[in-house]
Amino acid sequence: MLHLRGTVLPDGRRDLYVDAAGLISDSPLRGAEVVEAPFILPGLVDAHCHVGIGPSGPVDLAECEQQAITERDAGALLLRDCGSPTDTRPLQGRPDLPEIIRAARHLARPKRYVPGLAIDLDDPALLPAAVAEQAAAGDGWVKLVGDWIDRGVGDLAPLWPEDVLKSAIDAAHAAGARVTAHVFGTDALPGLIDAGIDCIEHGTGLTDELIASMAERGTALVPTLINVENFPGIADSAAKYPTYAEHMRGLYRTARDTIGKAIDAGVPVFAGTDAGGGIRHGRIADEVEALRHAGHPDPVGAASWTARRWLGRPVLEPGSRADLVVYREDPRENPAVLRDPVLVMIAGRTY
Ligand SMILES: [Zn+2]
C-alpha cells in the first residue's frame, strides 16, 4: 500500500492512496508507505499512435512490446492505436504495459495508403461491411484512410464516396464503435463530418466552415502536429507529383493556424504523436508542447485527463486502477517536466 504525498491534477486535491490491489483509495490506508509525489497526473494518453508500425513498415510482436515499453517510460499509459497491421491483442492485459485501445486495421483502397499497412478494398461499396468487421476486431474504434495521393490525379483526393461513408459510419455506430479518419487535405472532410464521423486525424485541410461544423457536432480532432513537421519532407520526396508536393507544403505552412482556429472554435483537440512510421514512440511531451504553441488552453489535459474522459477511461477516481505519472513540478506551468517523469505507475506498480 502506498501513500503518494503531493497534489493530484487536475482537481488539486492532496494525496492519493493506492491499495494492495493497485487501486486508488480515497481514504487513508493505515501502514501505507509514504512516497513523495509532488504532482500526480492520470497516466498520459497518446491519442494517435501505432503499436505495430516502425520506420520501415510492419513490425513483429516483440518490437510492438518494445514500442509499448517506450511509451510507458514516457508516461503514456493509455494508447489509442490508430491502425496496426500487427495484432497486438497478446499485449493487452499485460500488467507492465500501457493499455492499448486498438482500431484494428486501417481501411483503404488499393495504392491509396502506405503499402502493407491497410486492408485495401477493391470496391468502395465494401466499406460498410469492412467497417463492421473491424469494429468487431478492435476496441471501439475504426480507422479509415480518408484521403491520400491519387497518382492518377496527382494530388490528394478522397478515397470514399459520400453515400458509402454514411452507411459505413452508421454500421460502426450500430456496432458500438466510433470512427476516425486520416485526412490531410480539404476535399474528404465534408463527407466524413456530415456522415457523423467521431474524430478527424491530422485535419490540416480544415476550413473555417468545416471547423464550425465540427464544433457544432462535437467531432474531435487529433492533429498530430509533430508529424505535420514531416510534410515538407513528404513533399520533397514527391517531385514526380508537383501539385501534390505544393499542396503538402501549403498545408504545412498553414497547419498551426488551422489547428489554432479549431481550438479557438471549441473543437475537442487531443494530443497524439502518430508514432510508428515517421515518428518514434515516446514523444507525447513534444506533442503537448506543439499544442501549447498552437494555442491550446489545456495541452496537458489534452494528453491526460481530458483525453482519458473522451476515451471513457477513469481519472484517478476511488476504485480505479492506479495508472499515474508523477512530476517534480506542475507540467501546466512547466511543460518541459513532461520529458522527465519521476515515477510511472501501472496498477500500483512503479516502472
Ligand atoms: Zn497515424
Side-chain angles (χ1 to χ4, degrees):
M1 293 181 296
L2 298 170
H3 170 191
L4 300 183
R5 199 150 63 187
T7 300
V8 184
L9 298 189
D11 55 12
R13 71 186 192 272
R14 291 289 302 174
D15 295 8
L16 269 189
Y17 295 86
V18 179
D19 70 17
L23 304 178
I24 302 290
S25 168
D26 56 348
S27 44
L29 299 170
R30 189 190 293 267
E33 178 194 342
V34 175
V35 176
E36 294 303 331
F39 289 89
I40 306 165
L41 272 70
L44 300 186
V45 178
D46 190 336
H48 179 145
C49 65
H50 304 275
V51 180
I53 302 178
S56 31
V59 300
D60 65 14
L61 199 60
E63 182 61 28
C64 292
E65 181 185 6
Q66 285 308 313
Q67 294 176 343
I69 289 171
T70 302
E71 294 290 358
R72 178 196 74 195
D73 294 347
L77 305 184
L78 179 59
L79 311 178
R80 176 170 164 267
D81 186 303
C82 277
S84 175
T86 307
D87 185 351
T88 52
R89 274 176 283 196
L91 303 181
Q92 287 185 315
R94 278 262 303 263
D96 59 331
L97 296 179
E99 182 185 355
I100 308 175
I101 298 177
R102 296 158 37 260
R105 302 281 309 268
H106 300 77
L107 295 173
R109 294 181 62 192
K111 300 193 195 308
R112 297 297 302 281
Y113 195 50
V114 181
L117 299 188
I119 293 174
D120 295 330
L121 305 183
D122 291 323
D123 179 353
L126 299 171
L127 186 66
V131 161
E133 215 172 291
Q134 293 310 307
D139 304 318
W141 282 91
V142 175
K143 172 77 178 292
L144 310 180
V145 178
D147 70 359
W148 197 252
I149 184 173
D150 180 331
R151 288 172 177 80
V153 175
D155 198 359
L156 289 170
L159 267 70
W160 314 101
E162 300 194 357
D163 55 331
V164 165
L165 285 173
K166 178 82 177 98
S167 351
I169 291 168
D170 286 350
H173 290 166
R178 290 187 268 183
V179 184
T180 192
H182 161 111
V183 193
F184 284 164
T186 302
D187 294 351
L189 287 165
L192 290 160
I193 296 167
D194 290 345
I197 199 159
D198 302 280
C199 184
I200 296 292
E201 311 299 317
H202 318 301
T204 40
L206 282 165
T207 62
D208 292 355
E209 196 188 343
L210 291 164
I211 286 169
S213 173
M214 284 179 74
E216 197 187 313
R217 289 169 163 276
T219 316
L221 173 65
V222 181
T224 71
L225 287 169
I226 60 171
N227 192 30
V228 172
E229 294 298 320
N230 288 332
F231 282 17
I234 295 173
D236 291 346
S237 62
K240 273 200 297 188
Y241 303 100
T243 307
Y244 168 72
E246 198 39 54
H247 196 170
M248 293 300 290
R249 287 191 187 95
L251 291 170
Y252 171 71
R253 280 192 295 271
T254 52
R256 194 196 287 183
D257 267 10
T258 303
I259 303 312
K261 283 188 199 169
I263 291 165
D264 291 347
V267 172
V269 174
F270 302 105
T273 62
D274 211 356
I279 296 288
R280 64 178 169 78
H281 285 82
R283 291 191 57 195
I284 191 61
D286 294 332
E287 184 64 18
V288 171
E289 184 69 19
L291 286 175
R292 195 170 68 86
H293 281 297
H296 199 300
D298 182 23
V300 179
S304 176
W305 48 89
T306 322
R308 295 184 75 93
R309 289 193 194 105
W310 175 57
L311 294 169
R313 293 303 185 274
V315 184
L316 301 179
E317 288 114 7
S320 71
R321 210 166 74 154
D323 288 9
L324 54 88
V325 54
V326 172
Y327 298 99
R328 268 182 209 92
E329 292 175 55
D330 188 340
R332 296 172 302 183
E333 308 295 328
N334 180 10
V337 298
L338 291 173
R339 291 178 215 292
D340 193 17
V342 293
L343 185 155
V344 173
M345 179 181 289
I346 302 177
R349 281 190 56 179
T350 40
Y351 295 95

